[in-house]
């Protein structure tokens, strides 16, 4: 039982920067691992980045030199700092949370990121 709410998505010019946030509420013990996924219309949802409660990170190759994932365990918030944005980054970005011992996933409703050339 955890609720996730993304914010920060907007229209941005290519080469610009944007910071996404995901606020977790409810049973935040279900947020051992948190991550970001993205999906364009008609496409599969793709993995972007993930981070554990202790700070171990993992990135998709397409973003590893440009995006930084972080989390604040005090206020239960996940962040994605995006730099050098490209039109190919345009997608709905979804926040994900995964408990340590339970085989389930929690999802936010997404926030739209649009990068114009």
């Amino acid at each position: 039982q955890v609720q996730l709410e993304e914010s920060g998505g907007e229209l941005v010019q290519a080469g610009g920067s944007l910071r996404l946030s995901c606020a977790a509420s409810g049973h935040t013990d279900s947020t051992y691992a948190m991550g970001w996924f993205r999906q364009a219309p008609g496409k599969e949802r793709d993995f972007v980045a993930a981070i554990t409660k202790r700070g171990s990170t993992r990135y998709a190759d397409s973003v590893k030199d440009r995006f930084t994932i972080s989390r604040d365990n005090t206020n239960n918030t996940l962040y994605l700092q995006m730099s050098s944005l490209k039109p190919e980054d345009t997608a709905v970005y979804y926040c994900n949370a995964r408990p340590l011992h339970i085989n389930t996933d929690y999802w936010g409703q997404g926030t739209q990121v649009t990068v114009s050339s």
Side-chain angles (χ1 to χ4, degrees):
Q1 298 176 291
V2 62
Q3 293 78 48
L4 305 173
E5 184 176 5
E6 304 94 335
S7 62
E10 61 182 56
L11 174 66
V12 64
Q13 296 293 120
S17 298
L18 199 60
R19 186 199 196 204
L20 305 183
S21 299
C22 172
S25 59
H27 288 75
T28 54
D29 285 347
S30 296
T31 62
Y32 171 75
M34 299 188 73
W36 292 97
F37 292 71
R38 64 187 183 185
Q39 186 172 25
K43 308 296 183 183
E44 290 189 7
R45 185 163 55 193
D46 293 329
F47 170 78
V48 176
I51 185 170
T52 69
K53 193 176 291 291
R54 296 179 180 177
S56 298
T57 59
R58 179 167 65 94
Y59 295 91
D61 288 343
S62 59
V63 307
K64 65 183 176 64
D65 295 324
R66 301 182 295 118
F67 293 7
T68 300
I69 190 171
S70 62
R71 63 190 292 172
D72 186 336
N73 293 330
T74 300
N75 63 10
N76 299 305
T77 303
L78 176 74
Y79 302 98
L80 185 68
Q81 180 65 52
M82 304 183 291
S83 300
S84 301
L85 283 163
K86 306 174 180 179
E88 306 94 277
D89 297 317
T90 295
V92 177
Y93 283 70
Y94 294 94
C95 179
N96 167 265
R98 188 176 272 184
L100 179 59
H101 299 301
I102 302 175
N103 186 22
T104 191
D105 286 288
Y106 298 93
W107 297 95
Q109 293 191 10
T111 185
Q112 176 71 50
V113 173
T114 303
V115 183
S116 62
S117 60

